[in-house]
């Protein structure tokens, strides 16, 4: 096997079946800074931008920023930022080399360079995929002002660590230099993600001074967006297979599915690519799409992850092929669908049918443990929000609350039926401390609701706790089969 790398100079020699950027990358101008250059960004926004660049919209190259580790930069820098996107369905795979990431910065190595990129007048849009936990929300939804990184960034505005610190400082510098603010486009799985980030950033800026907070609140656009593409973590086997097909080494190809969706609120005062020409849906209000995606896709993903892990399934397709889990997911969807707006033109029948097909994609090997990470950050918008709305309509969210119980049971199973760090959560230390207290199911659920701030202050809290506690008791006593039996779902597995 060759050790030559995928790069500008080797890309022309790739097999004809591999699509390569057909544009002159040297002529592309950086117009977007992206915070959080993980696999998801590279399978989603970077691919859309690649299409824009190929169509001649050359002002929208991406400067990729990693807020934490240097891994992606180290893999991509020797490849001139090029990487392979492998689009996989159960029976086919197509390869495409993406060229939209022009350069990469690693924030902890050089925060000044990140601030310079953000302050560059050519930067008109800042996109983010930093994952739920990096928004540093407190249980009530506001900014976690006691978080050490927030404290650090307030004390060291020139050397930030958080997205909040970078955005606030660069917006302050742009303002001082009379450079128009960039538009901030959140692409994480949070409800009303633009408004959520705006609220957090304004709170953060207010701690630096009310003037900056007012400037951000009044002058900066935060369109919300719904992003969707399933992106399993790349494995060493994927690296070897893709490099074999390319004939040169790609140190970090990205695996994904054929489905891809991006719905974006059209509010870009500093300009934007003509995304609508490349499959992006531009709308006035993304709310209904976002709720449908969070509650039907992400909610069932978490369900499949925790129930799948407790049932011994390593991947989504395997878990979803179990008729009992499949039946549970149908029941979960039925509960969540009742919470979605009726008048927004959502076709939930078609949407869930598509989800079932996507979850059955056997080529993805999307690991249940990957989705299981960070449950405390994900369940509020995926499960608890629907459960609270259902309760206020007088209907018990029995299926929804089994997902919460399954999360707690899966956390308890770590170090026992599941490997110690099979998945992780920002609350792990506190969760481990609970585990040592050998609490009853009821006590454990109350403690976890308090820790994670689930349904905080909601009138529904106690009923939700009771439902989850009954489920957890059954999970502890008789596993997933016992919990399913109580819902009338027949399991064939022992
Ligand atoms: C998943 C999401 O890991 C997870 O929590 O539910 O990453 C999911 O695959 C994407 O949101 C799909 O668009």
């Amino acid at each position: 096997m060759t050790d030559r790398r995928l790069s500008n100079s080797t890309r022309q020699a790739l097999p004809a079946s591999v699509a390569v950027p057909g544009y002159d990358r040297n002529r592309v101008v950086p117009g977007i800074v992206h915070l959080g250059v993980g696999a998801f960004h590279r399978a989603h926004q970077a691919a859309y931008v690649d299409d824009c660049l190929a169509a001649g919209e050359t002002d929208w190259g991406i400067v990729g920023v990693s807020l934490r580790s240097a891994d992606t930069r180290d893999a991509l820098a020797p490849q001139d930022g090029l990487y392979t996107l492998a689009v996989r369905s159960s029976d086919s795979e197509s390869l495409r080399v993406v060229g939209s990431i022009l350069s990469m910065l690693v924030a902890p190595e050089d925060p000044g360079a990140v601030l310079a990129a953000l302050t560059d007048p050519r930067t008109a849009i800042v996109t983010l995929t930093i994952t739920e936990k990096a928004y540093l929300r407190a249980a009530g939804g506001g900014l976690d002002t006691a978080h050490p990184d927030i404290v650090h960034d307030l004390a060291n505005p020139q050397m930030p660590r958080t997205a909040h610190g970078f955005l606030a400082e660069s917006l302050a510098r742009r303002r001082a230099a009379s450079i128009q603010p960039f538009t901030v486009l959140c692409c994480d799985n949070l409800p009303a993600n633009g408004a959520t980030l705006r609220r957090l950033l304004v709170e953060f800026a207010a701690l630096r001074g009310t003037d900056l907070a007012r400037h951000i609140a009044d002058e900066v656009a935060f369109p919300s967006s719904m992003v969707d593409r399933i992106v399993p973590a790349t494995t060493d086997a994927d690296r070897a297979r893709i490099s074999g097909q390319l004939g040169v080494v790609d140190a970090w190809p990205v695996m994904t599915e054929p489905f891809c969706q991006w719905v974006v609120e059209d509010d870009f005062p500093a300009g934007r690519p003509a995304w609508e020409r490349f499959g992006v849906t531009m709308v006035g209000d993304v709310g209904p799409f976002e709720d449908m995606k969070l509650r039907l896709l992400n909610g069932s993903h978490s369900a499949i992850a925790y129930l799948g892990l407790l049932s011994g399934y390593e991947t989504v397709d395997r878990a979803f092929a179990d008729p009992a889990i499949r039946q549970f997911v149908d029941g979960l969807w039925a509960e969540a669908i009742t919470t979605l707006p009726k008048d927004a033109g959502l076709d939930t029948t078609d949407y869930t049918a598509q989800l079932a097909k996507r979850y059955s994609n056997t080529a993805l090997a999307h690991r249940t443990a990957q989705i299981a990470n960070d449950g405390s950050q994900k369940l509020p918008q995926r499960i608890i929000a629907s459960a609270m709305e259902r309760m206020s309509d007088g209907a018990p969210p029995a299926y929804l609350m089994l997902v919460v119980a399954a999360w707690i049971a899966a956390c308890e199973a770590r170090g026992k039926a599941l490997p110690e760090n099979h998945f992780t959560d920002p609350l792990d230390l506190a969760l481990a401390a609970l585990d040592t207290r050998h609490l009853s199911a009821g006590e454990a659920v109350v403690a976890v609701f308090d820790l994670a701030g689930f349904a905080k202050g909601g009138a529904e809290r106690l009923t939700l706790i009771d439902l989850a506690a009954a489920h957890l008791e059954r999970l502890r006593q008789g596993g997933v089969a016992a919990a399913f039996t109580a819902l009338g779902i027949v399991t064939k597995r022992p």
Side-chain angles (χ1 to χ4, degrees), residues 40 189 227-230 293 297-298 301 366 370-371 378 382:
F40 183 79
N189 287 320
V227 294
D228 190 6
R229 196 165 214 188
I230 293 174
K293 196 251 170 172
L297 189 158
N298 296 114
H301 243 179
H366 194 193
Q370 180 182 340
I371 301 167
K378 294 174 175 174
R382 296 179 178 204

